[in-house]
């Protein structure tokens, strides 16, 4: 039986970025916000954010989160976040001297429960330094709610690591005054190796984060604020520009794979058998295809079952952060939904040359 791997990342190949590399060889500019980086940022802003607000490239999304939190946090002790996320979310807040405070997610969207968040904010008062929601699995969050937090003086940094390319009708993300952090890691939909961006509707905020990616230097190259080296090189910008050239096609392919999964999902009657999909609005650029196994079962059973059929699946993000050694002791609300979802979550393969037959085989193997 032919193995179906979980991921087979496909970053653009040399023919697509050769002409950008030639520019680097000619200019002999290799980093420090060079011409390719400037063009990469300008095109992202134009093609994905209608030239509203501003964007800055960062060496990876973890550094992007760390710098955005460091620039935005108010005095206080806690960073409120879901436990059902990647360790980069709590880690970036700990590096900023904050303590994670876990808020449970809801059973439908698998994102932080906003009612519970509201109650927790009331309880913590001035002790809440920042809110760091995760736009689970490439979805988008209700920015109206999070904008209202910013108006109340509560900083919001959204971990949107896997959401680049996802579009959302009826929501204008360019008005958002908080920070949104996207990852360009090779395994993400906009994969370039390592890299990411921070976007905000607030230009002044992006200006400060840009300064922070370059040792906090001001115009005179004097350190004027807290900073580090969070820049990307011109080589990374070259791969980024070449990826922008083909990204609309990549989005189309990933959306199509999502439709194949939905078709197989109804063909094999998984809903009737107790399986559940994420309730998500907007068009998702799938990084992988997440779903919940029936409540009476556990995801591990299916991981093993599919492995026996030569299919690799994962269980992102299980164990959730509060069950990992580094993050075990932090305070939390009750985490009933987080426990339930992480017990049932399965992440199914998505990569750009997977075939409809392979998707069909994966879903059939779940239902058998
Ligand atoms: C991938 C990911 C990150 C980290 O992104 P890097 O660019 O690898 O630092 C952070 N948060 C979430 C939810 C992710 O999926």
């Amino acid at each position: 039986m032919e193995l179906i791997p979980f991921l087979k990342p496909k970053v653009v190949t040399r023919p697509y970025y050769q002409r950008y590399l030639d520019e680097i060889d000619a200019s002999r500019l290799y980093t420090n916000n060079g011409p390719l980086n400037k063009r990469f940022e300008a095109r992202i802003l134009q093609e994905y954010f209608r030239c509203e607000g501003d964007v800055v490239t960062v060496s990876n999304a973890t550094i992007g989160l760390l710098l955005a939190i460091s620039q935005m946090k108010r005095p206080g002790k806690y960073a409120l976040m879901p436990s059902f996320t990647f360790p980069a979310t709590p880690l970036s807040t700990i590096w900023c001297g904050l303590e994670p405070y876990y808020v449970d997610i809801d059973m439908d969207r698998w994102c932080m429960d906003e009612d519970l968040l509201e109650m927790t904010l009331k309880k913590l008062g001035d002790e809440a330094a920042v809110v760091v929601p995760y736009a689970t699995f490439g979805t988008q969050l209700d920015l109206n709610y999070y904008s209202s937090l910013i108006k109340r003086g509560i900083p919001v940094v959204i971990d949107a690591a896997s959401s680049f390319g996802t579009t959302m009708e009826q929501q204008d993300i360019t008005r958002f005054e908080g920070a949104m952090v996207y990852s360009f890691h090779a395994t993400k939909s906009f994969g370039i190796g390592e890299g990411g961006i921070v976007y905000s509707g607030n230009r002044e905020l992006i200006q400060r984060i840009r300064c922070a990616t370059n040792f906090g230097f001001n115009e005179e190259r004097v350190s004027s604020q807290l900073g580090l080296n969070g820049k990307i090189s011109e080589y990374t910008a070259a791969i980024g520009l070449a990826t922008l050239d083909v990204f609309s096609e990549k989005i189309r392919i990933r959306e199509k794979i999502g439709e194949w999964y939905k078709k197989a999902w109804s063909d094999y009657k998984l809903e009737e058998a107790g399986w559940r999909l994420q309730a998500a609005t907007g068009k998702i650029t799938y990084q992988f295809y997440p779903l919940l196994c029936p409540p009476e079962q556990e995801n591990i059973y299916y991981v093993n079952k599919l492995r026996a059929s030569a299919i690799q699946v994962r269980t992102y993000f299980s164990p959730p952060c509060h069950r990992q050694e580094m993050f075990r002791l932090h305070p939390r609300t009750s985490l009933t939904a987080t426990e339930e979802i992480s017990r049932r979550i399965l992440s199914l393969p998505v990569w750009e040359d997977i075939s409809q037959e392979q998707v069909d085989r994966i879903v059939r193997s779940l239902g058998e």
Side-chain angles (χ1 to χ4, degrees):
M1 226 176 330
E2 180 210 4
L3 174 78
I4 304 181
F6 173 63
L7 278 186
K8 230 177 173 177
K10 193 178 181 187
V11 175
V12 286
T13 51
R14 202 163 349 174
Y16 292 90
Y17 58 78
Q18 186 66 51
R19 64 194 173 103
Y20 298 116
L21 294 190
D22 292 342
E23 287 185 47
I24 301 174
D25 292 346
S27 74
R28 294 167 67 174
L29 293 168
Y30 303 103
T31 183
N32 286 1
N33 197 17
L36 294 186
N37 182 62
K38 285 202 175 75
R39 252 152 70 204
F40 185 37
E41 290 177 343
R43 278 189 59 188
I44 291 172
L45 199 58
Q46 182 183 357
E47 294 169 27
Y48 292 91
F49 301 99
R50 300 193 335 265
C51 293
E52 303 277 351
D54 205 358
V55 69
V56 58
T57 52
V58 283
S59 47
N60 56 67
T62 310
I63 288 292
L65 285 165
L66 190 159
L67 293 179
I69 292 162
S70 146
Q71 287 303 314
M72 290 180 72
K73 69 179 175 147
R74 58 178 195 179
K77 183 169 177 198
Y78 295 114
L80 282 65
M81 68 184 69
S83 168
F84 191 69
T85 182
F86 187 66
T89 324
L91 283 172
S92 58
T93 66
I94 294 168
W95 278 103
C96 290
L98 301 172
E99 178 165 18
Y101 195 114
Y102 306 119
V103 177
D104 206 4
I105 51 179
D106 68 67
M107 282 300 297
D108 302 320
R109 301 167 313 138
W110 314 341
C111 294
M112 195 152 53
D113 183 318
E114 283 141 19
D115 295 331
L116 203 52
L117 173 60
E118 201 54 40
M119 281 163 54
T120 312
L121 283 168
K122 285 220 173 69
K123 181 178 143 193
L124 296 178
D126 293 345
E127 290 290 271
V130 65
V131 175
V132 192
Y134 165 43
T136 307
F137 302 145
T139 53
Q140 278 197 8
L141 295 169
D142 176 3
L143 294 181
N144 287 325
Y145 171 69
Y146 287 108
S147 290
S148 79
L149 289 190
I150 292 171
K151 289 207 180 72
R152 281 153 56 193
I154 302 166
V156 179
V157 176
I158 297 181
D159 184 337
S162 48
S163 295
F164 194 75
T166 290
T167 48
M168 179 101 156
E169 301 87 29
Q170 296 147 359
Q171 180 152 279
D172 183 5
I173 54 179
T174 65
R175 296 249 173 91
F176 186 62
E177 297 270 311
M180 323 239 318
V181 183
Y182 299 90
S183 171
F184 294 164
H185 188 265
T187 57
K188 302 293 203 272
S189 301
F190 193 101
I192 64 173
E194 291 277 2
I197 51 166
V198 183
Y199 174 81
S200 176
N202 178 345
R203 294 204 168 115
E204 189 264 335
L205 170 64
I206 294 299
Q207 194 46 46
R208 278 189 285 133
I209 295 173
R210 180 186 300 286
C211 176
T213 63
N214 194 31
F215 311 101
F217 281 162
N218 63 15
E219 259 97 88
E220 286 83 46
R221 292 186 62 78
V222 170
S223 276
S224 58
Q225 63 166 63
L226 187 60
L228 43 68
N229 182 358
K231 303 182 298 284
I232 62 169
S233 80
E234 288 285 276
Y235 295 101
T236 296
I239 311 282
L241 282 164
T243 305
L244 276 178
D245 293 338
V246 295
F247 193 52
S248 55
E249 176 63 9
K250 284 175 177 276
I251 291 177
R252 199 188 61 74
I253 292 170
R254 286 174 183 273
E255 286 175 354
K256 189 184 64 189
I257 296 167
E259 284 161 23
W260 291 343
Y261 268 113
K262 281 204 192 90
K263 176 162 190 316
W265 163 272
S266 56
D267 286 351
Y268 295 106
K269 303 203 182 327
L270 291 196
E271 175 105 43
E272 291 84 335
W275 292 78
R276 288 294 171 265
L277 293 177
Q278 185 182 18
T281 42
K283 276 193 147 183
I284 298 179
T285 308
Y286 288 101
Q287 183 195 358
F288 46 78
Y289 198 81
L291 75 183
L292 301 184
C293 72
E296 64 279 8
Q297 250 139 5
E298 299 218 351
N299 48 14
I300 297 306
Y301 169 78
Y302 289 98
V303 172
N304 293 329
K305 178 172 163 160
L306 268 70
R307 188 187 294 128
S309 307
I311 299 166
Q312 273 181 355
V313 302
R314 296 273 193 274
T315 58
Y316 292 127
F317 289 105
S318 180
C321 292
H322 75 279
R323 294 221 169 255
Q324 300 187 32
E325 192 183 344
M326 172 70 201
F327 314 115
R328 258 181 326 133
L329 299 175
H330 302 308
R332 63 200 66 181
T333 67
S334 92
L335 295 175
T336 324
T338 301
E339 297 285 4
E340 166 84 4
I341 285 165
S342 50
R343 190 176 64 77
R344 293 170 59 191
I345 193 76
L346 277 175
S347 333
L348 304 183
V350 170
W351 29 276
E352 286 162 27
D353 22 36
I354 199 169
S355 69
Q356 187 166 9
E357 288 68 38
Q358 286 171 313
V359 167
D360 190 83
R361 193 181 122 202
I362 293 163
V363 179
R364 178 162 28 91
S365 310
L366 289 177
E368 267 164 2

